[in-house]
Amino acid sequence: MPGTCKSGNWNIPYPVESDQDLRTLGKTEADVRISRCGSKKRRIVWIENDDPGVYQETMRTLWADEKRESRGSRCLVPDQHGGFIRCSGNCMDCQRARNGLPDSLDLQNELTGFDPADDRDKIEAATLLMTLKDLLDEVRSLDPQSARILELILDERSERDIAGILGIGKSTAHERSADARALLKSL
């Protein structure tokens, strides 16, 4: 039975972020396990517990947080009434990237501390910048508003900021951002 050990204890997973967490719990690095908690792999220690009610309540909270995070990362799609709903399709079959998820390197850095060395060649970076400017010029010649949206995205502006700057609604900014990215991708 999940969560139990041979002695019948209902063990609770506790995420460990630092050595301070280990000292607080009275555990050592040897007690840390990389284990899946929901859909994420995390560094955890198992806390012994004899009460199945405490286990159920703790796990219910963890599962609810995981579900909420998963729903929040699903794409917004138009409904029949002119509004938006969360997509309920299979993300594996979808051509779009899930909107709410962080970039994979950011996620790896957050979870494992992995930070790729930034040793890009300066010529490669300059070439990439020139290519990007050329693409933006081409987008600007086809659709100036899409070029403006892409510039704002490159400036790391949120869709809410873009909506405020352009004087449009947030959902319209979301749609136009997606259209601008699709246009850039096609070029």
Side-chain angles (χ1 to χ4, degrees):
M1 181 178 294
T4 62
C5 63
K6 291 180 183 177
S7 65
N9 291 339
W10 291 83
N11 296 329
I12 298 172
Y14 187 88
V16 176
E17 302 293 329
S18 66
D19 292 336
Q20 179 62 36
D21 292 340
L22 289 174
R23 286 191 294 274
T24 302
L25 295 170
K27 301 286 185 176
T28 65
E29 192 65 39
D31 297 321
V32 175
R33 301 285 179 256
I34 303 296
S35 185
R36 186 169 298 281
C37 190
S39 65
K40 293 182 179 179
K41 286 188 178 181
R42 298 180 183 181
R43 294 180 69 225
I44 63 168
V45 293
W46 290 94
I47 306 298
E48 291 184 18
N49 172 43
D50 292 327
D51 187 355
V54 171
Y55 170 80
Q56 287 295 329
E57 186 62 32
T58 304
M59 293 308 293
R60 193 174 297 122
T61 303
L62 288 173
W63 294 325
D65 289 344
E66 182 73 27
K67 187 68 173 177
R68 186 173 21 263
E69 187 176 314
S70 175
R71 274 193 310 266
S73 69
R74 291 189 156 272
C75 297
L76 290 173
V77 294
D79 64 3
Q80 294 88 6
H81 307 291
F84 290 93
I85 58 172
R86 295 279 176 198
C87 178
S88 60
N90 184 352
C91 293
M92 299 300 286
D93 299 332
C94 186
Q95 297 299 319
R96 294 179 293 208
R98 290 177 76 175
N99 297 334
L101 294 177
D103 294 330
S104 60
L105 290 178
D106 291 341
L107 180 63
Q108 287 302 315
N109 189 1
E110 180 182 316
L111 294 178
T112 64
F114 172 75
D115 190 14
D118 189 18
D119 59 355
R120 274 191 258 170
D121 185 26
K122 290 182 179 181
I123 295 173
E124 181 182 328
T127 304
L128 179 62
L129 184 59
M130 289 184 337
T131 303
L132 186 56
K133 286 182 180 179
D134 290 343
L135 282 172
L136 278 174
D137 289 341
E138 194 168 337
V139 169
R140 192 172 290 109
S141 69
L142 295 172
D143 184 2
Q145 188 170 26
S146 289
R148 178 69 177 133
I149 289 171
L150 290 170
E151 288 169 348
L152 292 171
I153 291 171
L154 288 172
D155 287 339
E156 298 182 6
R157 299 295 188 107
S158 68
E159 287 179 353
R160 178 174 288 149
D161 292 342
I162 292 171
I165 291 169
L166 298 179
I168 57 178
K170 187 178 175 207
S171 61
T172 304
H174 175 75
E175 289 174 11
R176 290 188 184 165
S177 295
D179 293 343
R181 286 184 178 117
L183 177 60
L184 183 65
K185 188 175 182 180
S186 70
L187 296 175

